[in-house]
Amino acid sequence: MSKTFCRALAKKRVMSNDGMLIGTIKNIIVDLTTGQVADLLVKPDETFKTDGYRTDGDKMLVPFEAVKDIKDYVVVDRYLLKRSG
């Protein structure tokens, strides 16, 4: 995956690789030791059920390893998303 600036991720919508809208990015979580992005903090869409996924209050934690592409949407592999939950 090519380099992407954090500001380019702000308020981007997150969609699964099977076309399901997951939500909107609100923030990112970075591992300060390695400098790697660990998770995306996502406000779930009202149609997306967060049962079985990692959450923090009303936000959902999307592991960055689940991200497959970043263009108009951030596309994530829902299997990797669920597996880490």
Side-chain angles (χ1 to χ4, degrees), residues 46-59:
E46 59 272 353
T47 62
F48 188 79
K49 304 293 182 220
T50 60
D51 301 338
Y53 295 95
R54 289 184 358 197
T55 57
D56 184 7
D58 64 342
K59 304 291 187 288

Side-chain angles (χ1 to χ4, degrees), residues 20-80:
M20 179 179 287
L21 181 62
I22 294 173
T24 306
I25 295 177
K26 292 300 176 185
N27 214 335
I28 62 171
I29 299 172
V30 176
D31 181 331
L32 294 178
T33 306
T34 64
Q36 299 291 318
V37 175
D39 295 293
L40 303 176
L41 196 59
V42 174
K43 179 179 181 189
D45 186 74
E46 59 272 353
T47 62
F48 188 79
K49 304 293 182 220
T50 60
D51 301 338
Y53 295 95
R54 289 184 358 197
T55 57
D56 184 7
D58 64 342
K59 304 291 187 288
M60 190 170 137
L61 295 163
V62 174
F64 196 71
E65 69 182 19
V67 174
K68 295 301 171 196
D69 199 12
I70 300 173
K71 291 198 174 141
D72 292 337
Y73 289 86
V74 174
V75 178
V76 298
D77 183 319
R78 202 158 55 133
Y79 172 74
L80 291 176

Side-chain angles (χ1 to χ4, degrees), residues 9-24:
L9 294 175
K11 299 181 182 176
K12 239 185 217 302
R13 299 180 98 186
V14 179
M15 181 175 281
S16 68
N17 55 343
D18 59 357
M20 179 179 287
L21 181 62
I22 294 173
T24 306

